[in-house]
């Protein structure tokens, strides 16, 4: 076994057979396997992969239940490999499989750790993106270069190959949130020797793209996390953004409720509204990969409310204590209390509501 090709899938049933056929052709003479990592696609992608795997031992399927996310799927697929080299590519045939042997050769002959397939050097192209998506990709690439100063010409690419030992070293520092596993690996490892391989980005074979606003937001979270040098994790950044939005909702509802109610009941209604919106936004965004549904969502909501109530008490308690000691800087006492509350809510929600640890 020389090469594991990891292929994350979500609703790609009609692409997998064609991809395996093309890999078989492109990788003739190389010992390879294909590891599909499917997030329990409702279209039966996993069943399709397994029916191929039943007669082709080079094909495997990891079916993940109750979890979503491209980067996390890639990480799990790579972790399951025992080949010396792992590649990651999309299932929709937009990534040109015929460059894989060249990438493998570069990895072996040039003594590099990682070969990134790129659309943004001579010989590569992203023309198939069309106007608007092409623009988004170029802007995101430019921002990434500004902010992180990475040497990758196409940091957004989801197509690369690397030595498995280097992956095993860096994996504890990777974030399972988001779409950008290559960028995460490149910025999380020190002294990674990187080569690039141009390729022409094709058009999607069957099905639809999963790119959406949320994917864009997750990317911004990853950038901020990288900017903070890993001090803030992307999840906390989303938790904080959702919290800030909750404050706006709180004040809006309070203003409306005051038309009908006295202050105390109005403030209670506003608090409840903000907690509700925070819970649902966190469930959709911050903890999307561990989204709660059905009864566990109701239970999660109740525990979230309980945690936030205790958070409010710790906030007020700390602020009051600091304020008593130093009345002049009332705002610092208030800020410290609010931060304390936010950290408490985040830590406890991660532990008990969405159980990320
Ligand atoms: N397991 C799993 N879970 N796979 C997923 C998920 C998920 O939540 N979301 C997307 N995928 C899989 C898709 O099934 C596909 O094989 C691959 O990830 C890429 O998703 P697409 O929906 O095809 O994304 P795209 O074509 O819009 O995005 C492309 O461009 C980006 C850069 O601009 C891809 O090449 C990305 O890898 C690339 O980062
Ligand atoms: Mn695609």
């Amino acid at each position: 076994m020389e090469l594991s090709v990891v292929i994350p899938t979500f609703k790609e049933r009609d692409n997998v057979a064609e991809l395996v056929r093309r890999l078989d052709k492109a990788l003739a003479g190389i010992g390879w396997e294909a590891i599909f990592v499917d997030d329990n696609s409702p279209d039966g992608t996993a069943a399709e992969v397994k029916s191929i795997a039943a007669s082709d031992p080079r094909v495997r399927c990891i079916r993940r239940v109750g979890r979503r996310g491209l980067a996390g799927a890639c990480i799990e697929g790579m972790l399951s490999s025992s080949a010396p080299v792992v590649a990651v590519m999309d299932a929709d045939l937009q990534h040109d499989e015929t460059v894989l042997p060249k990438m493998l050769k570069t990895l072996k002959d040039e003594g590099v750790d990682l070969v990134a397939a790129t659309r943004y050097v001579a010989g590569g192209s992203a023309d198939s993106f069309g106007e608007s998506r092409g623009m988004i990709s170029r802007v995101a690439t430019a921002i990434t270069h500004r902010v992180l100063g990475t040497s990758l010409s196409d940091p957004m690419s989801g197509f690369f190959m690397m030595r498995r030992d280097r992956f095993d070293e860096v994996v504890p520092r990777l974030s399972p949130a988001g779409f950008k596993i290559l960028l995460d690996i490149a910025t999380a490892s020190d002294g990674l020797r990187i080569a690039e391989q141009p390729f022409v980005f094709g058009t999607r074979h069957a099905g639809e793209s999963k790119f959406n606003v949320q994917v864009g937001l997750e990317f911004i979270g990853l950038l901020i996390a990288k900017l903070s040098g890993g001090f803030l994790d992307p999840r906390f950044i989303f938790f904080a953004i959702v919290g800030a939005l909750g404050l706006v909702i709180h004040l809006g509802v309070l203003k409306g409720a005051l038309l009908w109610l006295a202050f105390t009941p109005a403030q209670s209604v506003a608090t409840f509204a903000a907690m509700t919106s925070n819970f649902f936004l966190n469930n959709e965004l911050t903890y999307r990969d561990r989204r709660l549904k059905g009864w566990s969502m109701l239970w999660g909501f109740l525990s979230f409310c309980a945690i936030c109530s205790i958070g409010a008490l710790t906030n007020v308690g700390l602020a009051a204590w600091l304020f008593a000691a130093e009345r002049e800087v009332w705002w610092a006492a208030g800020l410290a209390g609010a931060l304390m509350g936010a950290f408490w809510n985040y830590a406890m929600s991660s532990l008990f509501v969405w159980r990320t640890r």
Side-chain angles (χ1 to χ4, degrees), residues 118-133:
T118 169
R119 300 165 286 197
Y120 299 127
V121 298
S125 111
D127 294 345
S128 64
F129 253 154
E131 278 288 309
S132 57
R133 184 67 203 277

Side-chain angles (χ1 to χ4, degrees), residues 163-178:
R163 291 170 48 145
R164 189 171 58 81
D165 54 356
R166 296 311 310 269
F167 171 75
D168 287 339
E169 270 166 41
V170 72
V171 69
R173 294 195 290 279
L174 301 179
S175 158

Side-chain angles (χ1 to χ4, degrees), residues 143-206:
I143 293 176
T144 307
H145 280 142
R146 256 304 142 74
V147 172
L148 298 180
T150 167
S151 63
L152 294 165
S153 64
D154 189 357
M156 305 293 129
S157 173
F159 189 16
F160 63 95
M161 188 182 282
M162 72 185 295
R163 291 170 48 145
R164 189 171 58 81
D165 54 356
R166 296 311 310 269
F167 171 75
D168 287 339
E169 270 166 41
V170 72
V171 69
R173 294 195 290 279
L174 301 179
S175 158
F179 240 55
K180 302 302 163 204
I181 180 71
L182 171 63
L183 179 61
D184 201 11
I185 290 176
T187 45
S189 17
D190 310 311
L192 202 69
R193 291 159 299 177
I194 299 177
E196 295 201 312
Q197 168 67 49
F199 82 104
V200 176
F201 194 57
T203 50
R204 178 174 258 281
H205 185 64

